[in-house]
């Protein structure tokens, strides 16, 4: 447990409404369907694919059980990272966390949630989701440089908390409309992103910037193709996808493959990362059982995600299962309580400590100096 501080944050999270289906640090989309309202465009649509050819990463077919890459889970309360590690039988290599984001004092200066994961207590990596600005802000003001001092201060906050090399998922899931930082004018938004990165790096030069796409949302709310927002290779270290089993759910291998290859799908994101010499990541992935748009207790989705990770393990920076049992979220929980027992069993078979001979993530991980 992370003690009284973590327990207090559970109450705070509920009070400020961070965990909601219409937008929150751990919610990829509304269950009532902002993603469902837009059918994915085809991969052949002009401008939908990266300009460079898409290499074939590995042979096809099911991967052998085991974890041969950095693996983790979401780390904000109420999830207990230690309980997750006990269940899987191995340390996590990364904890995905989300800052409070009501105002700049919380975004730029607050020690939480880094303070829950000090080096020595948690030796794994932190992936920190950060908005580009609070709800009161906008991309134009950001692009003019008026937020530069805040982002330089955030770099200092990372350093102060012993996390100058954290992964920062800046403006995550920008291609959806459930968060307020989606692009209105794409060129202006890109300038905003570039300025924020430059300022964070000015005080935390070892930071790793994660450009994060929500899967199955090929067009941004302003109508532009999702890849039009890419800010340029010099401003990005990792290109990532948040992938949940919904819109549509993967009830067959063919459906998974089709969705994986749409312009915002995880396979396309991996190919884009390869073509641009970047690492690939899946900071959030999980089951969805909140309504008919999700696949529910679906072991096939777990299998296919494992295969995706194995095929791309040479460039995989990290992946993290998003486990939540809250009634107003995706209800992807595999433990405490096990809402999806069939998928939970398959996860242990593929991702657990006993899965595969010689399996291992190859990195330092869990709490207690592991």
């Amino acid at each position: 447990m992370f003690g009284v501080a973590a327990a207090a944050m559970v109450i705070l999270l509920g009070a400020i409404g961070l965990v909601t289906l219409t937008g929150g640090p751990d919610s990829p989309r509304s269950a009532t369907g902002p993603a469902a309202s837009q059918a994915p465009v085809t991969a052949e649509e002009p401008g939908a694919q990266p300009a460079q050819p898409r290499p074939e990463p590995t042979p096809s077919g099911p991967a052998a059980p085991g974890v041969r890459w950095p693996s983790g889970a979401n780390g904000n309360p109420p999830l207990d990272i230690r309980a997750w590690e006990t269940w899987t039988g191995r340390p996590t290599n990364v904890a995905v966390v989300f800052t409070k984001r009501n105002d700049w004092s919380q975004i730029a200066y607050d020690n939480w949630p880094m303070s829950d994961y000090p080096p020595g207590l948690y030796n794994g990596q932190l992936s920190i989701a950060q908005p580009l600005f609070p709800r009161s802000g906008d991309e134009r003001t950001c692009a003019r440089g008026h937020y530069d001092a805040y982002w330089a201060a955030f770099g200092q906050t990372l350093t102060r908390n012993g996390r100058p090399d954290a992964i920062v998922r800046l403006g995550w899931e920008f291609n959806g409309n459930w968060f307020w930082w989606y692009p209105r004018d794409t060129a202006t938004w890109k300038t905003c992103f570039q300025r924020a990165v430059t300022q964070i790096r000015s005080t935390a030069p070892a930071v790793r910037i994660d450009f994060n796409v929500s899967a199955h949302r090929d067009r941004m709310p302003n109508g532009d193709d999702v890849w039009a927002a890419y800010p340029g290779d010099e401003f990005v270290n990792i290109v990532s996808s948040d992938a949940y089993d919904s819109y549509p759910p993967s009830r067959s291998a063919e459906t998974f493959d089709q969705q994986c290859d749409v312009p915002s799908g995880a396979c396309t994101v991996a190919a884009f990362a390869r073509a641009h010499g970047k690492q690939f990541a899946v900071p959030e992935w999980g089951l969805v059982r909140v309504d008919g748009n999700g696949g529910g207790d679906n072991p096939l989705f777990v299998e296919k995600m494992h295969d995706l990770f194995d095929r791309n393990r040479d460039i995989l920076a990290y992946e993290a299962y998003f486990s939540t049992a809250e009634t107003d979220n995706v209800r992807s929980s595999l433990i405490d309580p096990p809402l999806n027992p069939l998928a939970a069993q398959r996860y242990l078979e593929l991702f657990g400590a006993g899965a595969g001979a010689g399996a291992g993530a190859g990195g330092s991980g869990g709490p207690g100096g592991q």
Side-chain angles (χ1 to χ4, degrees):
M1 304 297 173
F2 288 109
V4 175
M9 286 315 308
V10 177
I11 298 172
L12 177 59
L13 283 169
I16 63 178
L18 283 174
V19 182
T20 68
L21 283 170
T22 56
D26 49 2
S27 177
R29 56 183 61 84
S30 167
T32 55
S37 66
Q38 286 190 347
V41 296
T42 63
E44 290 76 25
E45 182 170 349
Q49 296 294 336
Q52 301 185 40
R54 293 173 53 182
E56 294 295 331
T58 61
S60 59
V67 175
R68 294 165 283 271
W69 53 82
S71 181
N74 54 307
N76 279 50
L79 180 77
D80 185 343
I81 279 281
R82 291 183 176 177
W84 181 266
E85 292 178 328
T86 298
W87 179 66
T88 61
R90 58 175 173 79
T92 53
N93 303 91
V94 62
V96 172
V97 297
F98 305 82
T99 60
K100 294 173 286 182
R101 50 186 182 267
N102 292 346
D103 53 43
W104 280 113
S105 67
Q106 294 178 329
I107 294 171
Y109 300 99
D110 199 334
N111 293 326
W112 190 86
M114 287 83 78
S115 57
D116 273 3
Y117 290 87
L121 175 64
Y122 185 75
N123 294 333
Q125 180 65 278
L126 285 191
S127 173
I128 305 170
Q130 277 281 38
L132 276 169
F133 39 78
R135 190 179 290 277
S136 60
D138 64 84
E139 65 193 25
R140 290 173 297 175
T141 304
C142 175
R144 294 187 188 112
H146 294 296
Y147 302 152
D148 285 3
Y150 294 125
W151 286 118
F154 175 63
Q156 294 171 334
T157 298
L158 292 175
T159 301
R160 183 173 66 248
N161 284 277
R163 297 291 180 178
D165 60 346
I167 298 166
V168 176
R169 201 156 47 117
L170 190 62
W172 81 100
E173 297 183 0
F174 65 89
N175 54 321
N177 62 358
W178 42 90
F179 295 130
W180 58 81
W181 52 81
Y182 62 83
R184 274 68 173 179
D185 177 81
T186 302
T188 302
W189 188 91
K190 287 166 63 174
T191 300
C192 171
F193 191 103
Q194 293 163 353
R195 294 197 75 107
V197 171
T198 299
Q199 293 304 314
I200 297 170
R201 286 175 173 171
S202 73
T203 53
V207 72
R208 299 168 70 193
I209 302 299
D210 185 338
F211 179 77
N212 177 244
V213 172
S214 180
H216 313 163
R217 189 73 176 227
D218 300 330
R219 296 233 168 242
M220 298 184 290
N222 67 5
D224 288 351
D225 175 77
V226 61
W227 294 105
Y230 187 67
D233 288 347
E234 66 180 291
F235 299 99
V236 174
N237 302 98
I238 299 167
V239 184
S240 71
S241 171
D242 288 354
Y244 288 84
D245 187 25
S246 61
Y247 299 109
S250 295
R251 303 191 191 280
S252 69
E254 292 75 17
T255 300
F256 181 95
D257 293 342
Q258 290 167 3
Q259 292 303 309
C260 201
D261 284 330
V262 301
S264 60
C267 295
T268 302
V269 173
F272 185 96
R274 285 183 181 279
H276 288 257
K278 303 299 176 184
Q279 287 190 293
F280 167 58
V282 183
E284 298 179 41
W285 69 277
L287 305 173
V288 177
R289 54 172 295 158
V290 288
D291 64 9
N293 294 310
D297 188 4
N298 186 4
L300 175 65
F301 184 74
V302 174
E303 294 172 8
K304 293 294 288 183
M305 292 301 292
H306 182 270
D307 291 349
L308 171 69
F309 301 146
D310 192 74
R311 288 198 308 271
N312 292 283
R313 65 182 183 271
D314 60 315
I315 61 166
L316 187 60
Y318 68 106
E319 54 83 11
Y321 187 86
F322 193 92
S323 187
T324 179
E326 294 91 343
T327 57
D328 59 350
N329 212 290
V330 291
R331 295 180 64 76
S332 56
S333 177
L334 302 182
I335 60 169
D336 300 331
L339 297 179
N340 303 278
L342 297 178
Q345 179 61 36
R346 195 66 182 126
Y347 186 95
L348 285 181
E349 292 168 355
L350 294 173
F351 291 83
S364 62
Q370 296 181 348

